């Protein structure tokens, strides 16, 4: 049950990143975005991935099998970190556009 709740949490977070990416693409400005905020969320996802690796290693060492929800959560962590990385790259693109436009 805890793996299901974790996967749902990460899924909900993951649904917001495409919206943020679209906003970054369309707005073509870094105004209103916080790189500091996104970096800390990115770091949080890295910690979540490390936790998944540790659980996987512990299960393998003890001969336990993991439920499919464990792997679903893993997939969402990877998807979210890719999405936030794209949004951070767009932030730097938009900073460059802001400077070129004199904003």
């Amino acid at each position: 049950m805890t793996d299901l709740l974790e996967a749902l949490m990460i899924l909900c977070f993951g649904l917001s990143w495409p919206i943020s990416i679209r906003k970054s693409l369309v707005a073509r400005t870094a105004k209103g975005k916080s790189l500091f905020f996104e970096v800390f969320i990115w770091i949080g996802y890295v910690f979540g991935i490390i936790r998944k690796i540790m659980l996987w290693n512990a299960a393998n060492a003890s001969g336990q099998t993991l439920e499919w929800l464990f792997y679903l959560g893993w997939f969402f962590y990877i998807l979210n970190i890719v999405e936030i990385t794209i949004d951070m790259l767009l932030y730097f693109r938009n900073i460059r556009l802001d400077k070129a436009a004199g904003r």
Side-chain angles (χ1 to χ4, degrees):
M1 181 62 162
T2 58
D3 285 333
L4 174 62
L5 294 173
E6 180 187 25
L8 290 172
M9 176 196 71
I10 296 299
L11 172 66
C12 289
F13 287 162
L15 292 174
S16 65
W17 290 117
I19 295 166
S20 183
I21 290 168
R22 183 183 182 286
K23 181 183 175 193
S24 294
L25 281 168
V26 172
R28 300 179 64 84
T29 182
K31 303 228 184 289
K33 297 289 269 189
S34 171
L35 181 62
F36 187 72
F37 174 77
E38 289 188 339
V39 166
F40 274 99
I41 292 175
W42 192 91
I43 291 169
Y45 286 139
V46 169
F47 287 145
I49 290 168
I50 292 169
R51 177 185 171 272
K52 288 284 189 189
I53 293 169
M54 291 172 70
L55 288 172
W56 185 76
N57 284 335
N60 281 341
S62 65
Q64 294 176 333
T65 57
L66 297 167
E67 295 182 19
W68 64 273
L69 285 169
F70 174 85
Y71 298 102
L72 183 63
W74 176 262
F75 169 76
F76 286 130
Y77 272 114
I78 298 298
L79 180 63
N80 285 352
I81 207 165
V82 167
E83 290 173 330
I84 195 168
T85 300
I86 291 168
D87 202 36
M88 288 190 299
L89 292 172
L90 287 170
Y91 173 85
F92 290 111
R93 179 205 73 163
N94 289 345
I95 286 284
R96 200 174 64 249
L97 292 173
D98 284 343
K99 287 180 182 175
R103 293 183 244 165

CSV table of all heavy atoms in Angstrom, one decimal, residues 22-50:
chain,number,residue,atom,x,y,z
A,22,ARG,N,5.5,23.7,-20.6
A,22,ARG,CA,4.8,24.5,-21.6
A,22,ARG,C,4.8,26.0,-21.3
A,22,ARG,O,5.0,26.8,-22.2
A,22,ARG,CB,3.3,24.0,-21.7
A,22,ARG,CG,2.6,24.7,-22.8
A,22,ARG,CD,1.1,24.2,-22.9
A,22,ARG,NE,0.4,24.9,-23.9
A,22,ARG,CZ,0.0,26.1,-24.0
A,22,ARG,NH1,0.3,26.9,-23.0
A,22,ARG,NH2,-0.6,26.7,-25.0
A,23,LYS,N,4.6,26.3,-20.1
A,23,LYS,CA,4.6,27.7,-19.7
A,23,LYS,C,6.0,28.3,-20.0
A,23,LYS,O,6.1,29.5,-20.5
A,23,LYS,CB,4.3,27.9,-18.2
A,23,LYS,CG,4.3,29.3,-17.8
A,23,LYS,CD,4.0,29.5,-16.3
A,23,LYS,CE,4.2,30.9,-15.9
A,23,LYS,NZ,4.2,31.1,-14.4
A,24,SER,N,7.1,27.6,-19.7
A,24,SER,CA,8.4,28.1,-20.0
A,24,SER,C,8.6,28.3,-21.5
A,24,SER,O,9.3,29.2,-21.9
A,24,SER,CB,9.5,27.1,-19.4
A,24,SER,OG,9.4,27.1,-18.0
A,25,LEU,N,8.1,27.3,-22.3
A,25,LEU,CA,8.3,27.4,-23.7
A,25,LEU,C,7.5,28.6,-24.3
A,25,LEU,O,8.1,29.4,-25.1
A,25,LEU,CB,7.8,26.1,-24.4
A,25,LEU,CG,8.7,25.0,-24.4
A,25,LEU,CD1,8.0,23.7,-24.8
A,25,LEU,CD2,9.9,25.2,-25.2
A,26,VAL,N,6.3,28.8,-23.9
A,26,VAL,CA,5.4,29.8,-24.4
A,26,VAL,C,5.8,31.2,-23.9
A,26,VAL,O,5.8,32.2,-24.7
A,26,VAL,CB,3.9,29.5,-24.1
A,26,VAL,CG1,3.0,30.6,-24.5
A,26,VAL,CG2,3.5,28.2,-24.8
A,27,ALA,N,6.1,31.3,-22.6
A,27,ALA,CA,6.3,32.6,-22.0
A,27,ALA,C,7.6,33.2,-22.6
A,27,ALA,O,7.8,34.5,-22.7
A,27,ALA,CB,6.4,32.5,-20.5
A,28,ARG,N,8.6,32.4,-22.8
A,28,ARG,CA,9.9,32.9,-23.3
A,28,ARG,C,10.6,33.9,-22.4
A,28,ARG,O,11.3,34.8,-22.9
A,28,ARG,CB,9.8,33.4,-24.8
A,28,ARG,CG,9.3,32.3,-25.7
A,28,ARG,CD,9.2,32.8,-27.1
A,28,ARG,NE,10.4,33.2,-27.7
A,28,ARG,CZ,11.3,32.4,-28.3
A,28,ARG,NH1,11.1,31.1,-28.4
A,28,ARG,NH2,12.4,32.8,-28.9
A,29,THR,N,10.3,33.8,-21.1
A,29,THR,CA,10.9,34.6,-20.1
A,29,THR,C,11.2,33.8,-18.9
A,29,THR,O,10.4,32.9,-18.6
A,29,THR,CB,10.1,35.9,-19.8
A,29,THR,OG1,10.8,36.7,-18.8
A,29,THR,CG2,8.7,35.5,-19.3
A,30,ALA,N,12.2,34.2,-18.1
A,30,ALA,CA,12.5,33.5,-16.8
A,30,ALA,C,11.7,34.2,-15.7
A,30,ALA,O,11.8,33.7,-14.5
A,30,ALA,CB,14.0,33.4,-16.6
A,31,LYS,N,11.1,35.3,-15.9
A,31,LYS,CA,10.4,36.0,-14.9
A,31,LYS,C,9.3,35.1,-14.3
A,31,LYS,O,8.6,34.5,-15.0
A,31,LYS,CB,9.8,37.3,-15.5
A,31,LYS,CG,10.8,38.2,-16.1
A,31,LYS,CD,10.7,39.6,-15.7
A,31,LYS,CE,11.6,40.5,-16.4
A,31,LYS,NZ,13.0,40.4,-16.0
A,32,GLY,N,9.3,35.1,-13.0
A,32,GLY,CA,8.3,34.3,-12.3
A,32,GLY,C,8.8,32.8,-12.0
A,32,GLY,O,8.1,32.1,-11.3
A,33,LYS,N,9.9,32.5,-12.5
A,33,LYS,CA,10.5,31.1,-12.3
A,33,LYS,C,11.6,31.2,-11.2
A,33,LYS,O,12.3,32.2,-11.1
A,33,LYS,CB,11.1,30.5,-13.5
A,33,LYS,CG,10.1,30.3,-14.6
A,33,LYS,CD,9.1,29.2,-14.4
A,33,LYS,CE,9.7,27.9,-14.9
A,33,LYS,NZ,8.7,26.8,-14.8
A,34,SER,N,11.7,30.2,-10.4
A,34,SER,CA,12.8,30.1,-9.4
A,34,SER,C,13.7,28.9,-9.6
A,34,SER,O,13.2,27.8,-9.4
A,34,SER,CB,12.2,30.1,-8.0
A,34,SER,OG,13.2,29.8,-7.0
A,35,LEU,N,14.9,29.1,-10.1
A,35,LEU,CA,15.8,28.1,-10.3
A,35,LEU,C,16.1,27.4,-9.0
A,35,LEU,O,16.3,26.2,-8.9
A,35,LEU,CB,17.1,28.6,-11.0
A,35,LEU,CG,18.1,27.5,-11.3
A,35,LEU,CD1,17.6,26.4,-12.2
A,35,LEU,CD2,19.4,28.1,-11.8
A,36,PHE,N,16.3,28.2,-7.9
A,36,PHE,CA,16.6,27.7,-6.6
A,36,PHE,C,15.5,26.7,-6.2
A,36,PHE,O,15.9,25.6,-5.7
A,36,PHE,CB,16.6,28.9,-5.6
A,36,PHE,CG,17.0,28.6,-4.2
A,36,PHE,CD1,18.3,28.3,-3.9
A,36,PHE,CD2,16.1,28.6,-3.2
A,36,PHE,CE1,18.7,28.1,-2.6
A,36,PHE,CE2,16.5,28.3,-1.9
A,36,PHE,CZ,17.8,28.1,-1.6
A,37,PHE,N,14.3,27.0,-6.4
A,37,PHE,CA,13.1,26.1,-6.0
A,37,PHE,C,13.3,24.8,-6.8
A,37,PHE,O,13.2,23.7,-6.3
A,37,PHE,CB,11.8,26.8,-6.3
A,37,PHE,CG,10.6,25.9,-6.2
A,37,PHE,CD1,10.1,25.6,-4.9
A,37,PHE,CD2,9.9,25.4,-7.3
A,37,PHE,CE1,9.0,24.9,-4.8
A,37,PHE,CE2,8.8,24.7,-7.2
A,37,PHE,CZ,8.3,24.4,-5.9
A,38,GLU,N,13.5,24.9,-8.1
A,38,GLU,CA,13.6,23.7,-9.0
A,38,GLU,C,14.8,22.8,-8.7
A,38,GLU,O,14.7,21.6,-8.7
A,38,GLU,CB,13.6,24.1,-10.5
A,38,GLU,CG,12.2,24.6,-10.9
A,38,GLU,CD,12.1,24.8,-12.4
A,38,GLU,OE1,13.2,25.0,-13.1
A,38,GLU,OE2,11.0,24.9,-12.9
A,39,VAL,N,15.9,23.4,-8.3
A,39,VAL,CA,17.1,22.7,-8.0
A,39,VAL,C,16.8,21.8,-6.7
A,39,VAL,O,17.2,20.6,-6.7
A,39,VAL,CB,18.3,23.6,-7.8
A,39,VAL,CG1,19.5,22.8,-7.1
A,39,VAL,CG2,18.8,24.1,-9.1
A,40,PHE,N,16.1,22.4,-5.7
A,40,PHE,CA,15.8,21.6,-4.5
A,40,PHE,C,14.9,20.5,-4.8
A,40,PHE,O,15.0,19.4,-4.2
A,40,PHE,CB,15.4,22.5,-3.4
A,40,PHE,CG,16.5,23.1,-2.6
A,40,PHE,CD1,17.0,24.4,-2.9
A,40,PHE,CD2,17.2,22.4,-1.6
A,40,PHE,CE1,18.0,24.9,-2.2
A,40,PHE,CE2,18.2,22.9,-0.9
A,40,PHE,CZ,18.7,24.1,-1.2
A,41,ILE,N,13.9,20.7,-5.6
A,41,ILE,CA,13.0,19.6,-6.0
A,41,ILE,C,13.8,18.5,-6.7
A,41,ILE,O,13.6,17.3,-6.5
A,41,ILE,CB,11.8,20.1,-6.8
A,41,ILE,CG1,10.9,21.0,-6.0
A,41,ILE,CG2,11.0,19.0,-7.4
A,41,ILE,CD1,9.8,21.7,-6.7
A,42,TRP,N,14.7,18.9,-7.7
A,42,TRP,CA,15.5,18.0,-8.4
A,42,TRP,C,16.3,17.1,-7.4
A,42,TRP,O,16.4,15.9,-7.6
A,42,TRP,CB,16.4,18.7,-9.4
A,42,TRP,CG,17.1,17.9,-10.4
A,42,TRP,CD1,16.7,17.6,-11.6
A,42,TRP,CD2,18.4,17.3,-10.2
A,42,TRP,NE1,17.6,16.8,-12.3
A,42,TRP,CE2,18.7,16.6,-11.5
A,42,TRP,CE3,19.3,17.3,-9.2
A,42,TRP,CZ2,19.9,16.0,-11.7
A,42,TRP,CZ3,20.5,16.6,-9.4
A,42,TRP,CH2,20.8,15.9,-10.6
A,43,ILE,N,16.9,17.8,-6.4
A,43,ILE,CA,17.7,17.1,-5.4
A,43,ILE,C,16.8,16.1,-4.6
A,43,ILE,O,17.2,15.0,-4.4
A,43,ILE,CB,18.4,18.1,-4.5
A,43,ILE,CG1,19.5,18.8,-5.2
A,43,ILE,CG2,19.0,17.3,-3.2
A,43,ILE,CD1,20.1,20.0,-4.5
A,44,GLY,N,15.6,16.5,-4.3
A,44,GLY,CA,14.6,15.6,-3.6
A,44,GLY,C,14.3,14.4,-4.5
A,44,GLY,O,14.3,13.3,-3.9
A,45,TYR,N,14.2,14.5,-5.8
A,45,TYR,CA,14.0,13.4,-6.6
A,45,TYR,C,15.2,12.5,-6.6
A,45,TYR,O,15.1,11.2,-6.7
A,45,TYR,CB,13.6,13.8,-8.1
A,45,TYR,CG,12.2,14.3,-8.2
A,45,TYR,CD1,12.0,15.5,-9.0
A,45,TYR,CD2,11.1,13.8,-7.6
A,45,TYR,CE1,10.7,16.0,-9.2
A,45,TYR,CE2,9.9,14.3,-7.8
A,45,TYR,CZ,9.7,15.3,-8.6
A,45,TYR,OH,8.4,15.8,-8.8
A,46,VAL,N,16.4,13.0,-6.6
A,46,VAL,CA,17.6,12.2,-6.6
A,46,VAL,C,17.6,11.4,-5.3
A,46,VAL,O,17.9,10.2,-5.3
A,46,VAL,CB,18.9,13.1,-6.7
A,46,VAL,CG1,20.1,12.3,-6.3
A,46,VAL,CG2,19.0,13.7,-8.1
A,47,PHE,N,17.2,12.0,-4.2
A,47,PHE,CA,17.2,11.3,-2.9
A,47,PHE,C,16.1,10.1,-3.0
A,47,PHE,O,16.4,9.0,-2.5
A,47,PHE,CB,16.8,12.2,-1.7
A,47,PHE,CG,18.0,13.1,-1.3
A,47,PHE,CD1,17.7,14.4,-0.8
A,47,PHE,CD2,19.3,12.7,-1.3
A,47,PHE,CE1,18.7,15.2,-0.4
A,47,PHE,CE2,20.3,13.5,-0.9
A,47,PHE,CZ,20.0,14.8,-0.5
A,48,GLY,N,15.0,10.4,-3.6
A,48,GLY,CA,14.0,9.4,-3.8
A,48,GLY,C,14.5,8.2,-4.7
A,48,GLY,O,14.3,7.0,-4.4
A,49,ILE,N,15.3,8.5,-5.7
A,49,ILE,CA,15.9,7.5,-6.5
A,49,ILE,C,16.9,6.7,-5.7
A,49,ILE,O,17.0,5.4,-5.8
A,49,ILE,CB,16.5,8.1,-7.8
A,49,ILE,CG1,15.4,8.6,-8.7
A,49,ILE,CG2,17.4,7.1,-8.5
A,49,ILE,CD1,15.8,9.5,-9.9
A,50,ILE,N,17.7,7.3,-4.9
A,50,ILE,CA,18.7,6.6,-4.1
A,50,ILE,C,18.0,5.7,-3.1
A,50,ILE,O,18.4,4.6,-2.9
A,50,ILE,CB,19.6,7.7,-3.4
A,50,ILE,CG1,20.5,8.4,-4.4
A,50,ILE,CG2,20.4,7.0,-2.3
A,50,ILE,CD1,21.2,9.6,-3.8
